[in-house]
Structure formats: structure tokens, C-alpha cells
Amino acid sequence: SELVENVDLLPTILETAGLPAPGGVQGGSMVKLMRGGDPKWKDRCFSQLATAMYRTSRYKFIDNSRNLSGQFELYDMTSDPK
């Protein structure tokens, strides 16, 4: 399984429809990924809303400080219980 982000949806939809992505669009098309792999695909992702999350294939770090809880969470995705 590979790491994907919401910003990858628009480039994927546009490529599937045969349309170019406009300049400044963030993210990358997942078409090659869905067709069997993309050796140049990203190995980390970032997300932020009420909290921030940084993810690699092994670790997930969550910063809850934006909601004033002051708590951080670190998960080892290969060995922590699901």
C-alpha cells in the first residue's frame, strides 16, 4: 500500500479524463500507481486541519497542539496494534 493525499485526486481525475493539470495544482496523478506501481511515488505525506499529521511508511506522528491539548502521538505502523 502506498501513501496518497487528497491533493492527488484532482491530477488523477484529470489524467483519467485525458486532460492536463493546470499549473499550480498540487499533488500527483495516481494513475501509474493504480496500474501497478510508480517507482518515483512519494514516501511521506502531510496533513493539517485541527491537528497535523506527518506520515511515512513506518511512522505516523500526530501533533494535537493546534487544538490546545498539547499532546503528541507517535505510532510505529509496523508494530503498534491496529
Side-chain angles (χ1 to χ4, degrees):
S1 65
E2 301 291 338
L3 300 170
V4 298
E5 302 172 86
N6 289 343
V7 296
D8 300 322
L9 292 174
L10 179 60
T12 303
I13 292 167
L14 291 173
E15 183 176 344
T16 302
L19 301 170
V25 170
Q26 297 180 0
S29 172
M30 298 180 284
V31 171
K32 288 182 186 176
L33 191 64
M34 293 184 292
R35 290 183 177 155
D38 184 350
K40 295 181 182 178
W41 191 252
K42 63 183 94 178
D43 61 356
R44 64 188 62 96
C45 65
F46 177 79
S47 175
Q48 183 174 5
L49 190 55
T51 62
M53 184 271 303
Y54 182 76
R55 171 83 193 264
T56 66
S57 61
R58 179 161 184 189
Y59 295 105
K60 181 192 291 186
F61 174 76
I62 301 173
D63 177 357
N64 293 305
S65 63
R66 288 183 52 97
N67 66 7
L68 304 177
S69 71
Q71 296 181 351
F72 299 101
E73 301 172 42
L74 178 64
Y75 299 96
D76 182 335
M77 303 306 290
T78 60
S79 63
D80 284 347
K82 301 287 182 220

